[in-house]
Amino acid sequence: MSNSSLVTCTKISPNKTSPRNHKIDTITIHCAVGQFTAKELINLSNFVKRDPIYGSSCNYAVGCDGSIGLCVEEKDRSWCSSNGPNDHRAVTIEVASDKTHPYKVTDKAYQALIKLLVDICKRNKIKELK
């Protein structure tokens, strides 16, 4: 299992389960609710400080500037969606967004997200996104 070659920065979170217990067949995208760069996202305190109760993480973070950060390797389960079975089967992605509805993302973030989705689907043989 490999990680995306599109990554521009890496900071591996201690908040993860290693290894994941399910084949990757899902992608879960979440709004980060703040116009952060990928480096800023993967350095958020809830990602970098080990906390089995309140800690969180994601596999990838997409910044408002189009940067892509690796927070948890694809071989491991991130603590992203508050749903263990989902996180074991999904590559999880936090995307920088506005802080209020409709949580708009920048054009650069959107384009980077599309490239990352294509890469993840190709490498993990995911044939369809719903």
Side-chain angles (χ1 to χ4, degrees):
M1 188 172 302
S2 63
N3 300 309
S4 178
S5 63
L6 300 172
V7 168
T8 59
C9 56
T10 301
K11 179 140 184 129
I12 301 300
S13 175
N15 299 322
K16 63 185 176 186
T17 305
S18 183
R20 65 172 68 238
N21 67 14
H22 197 283
K23 177 183 183 264
I24 294 170
D25 62 7
T26 302
I27 298 173
T28 301
I29 302 168
H30 186 256
C31 291
V33 190
Q35 294 293 4
F36 303 102
T37 65
K39 187 174 184 176
E40 290 169 330
L41 280 168
I42 64 177
N43 279 290
L44 290 173
S45 62
N46 57 318
F47 286 0
V48 299
K49 182 181 175 193
R50 171 85 175 150
D51 187 337
I53 298 171
Y54 299 109
S56 59
S57 60
C58 57
N59 293 106
Y60 296 100
V62 177
C64 59
D65 59 353
S67 56
I68 298 173
L70 177 65
C71 189
V72 172
E73 293 184 85
E74 288 186 33
K75 66 182 179 67
D76 297 327
R77 172 213 164 196
S78 71
W79 298 354
C80 187
S81 70
S82 300
N83 180 319
N86 176 75
D87 289 345
H88 270 290
R89 71 185 315 142
V91 171
T92 57
I93 306 170
E94 290 281 348
V95 183
S97 69
D98 284 346
K99 292 182 179 181
T100 57
H101 187 272
Y103 306 101
K104 186 177 184 319
V105 301
T106 65
D107 290 339
K108 287 181 179 180
Y110 188 70
Q111 293 303 315
L113 175 61
I114 291 170
K115 289 177 185 173
L116 181 59
L117 290 171
V118 169
D119 176 61
I120 292 166
C121 287
K122 283 182 178 178
R123 286 182 299 100
N124 290 286
K125 297 180 176 59
I126 299 172
K127 296 180 195 268
E128 180 182 26
L129 291 179
K130 298 180 183 181

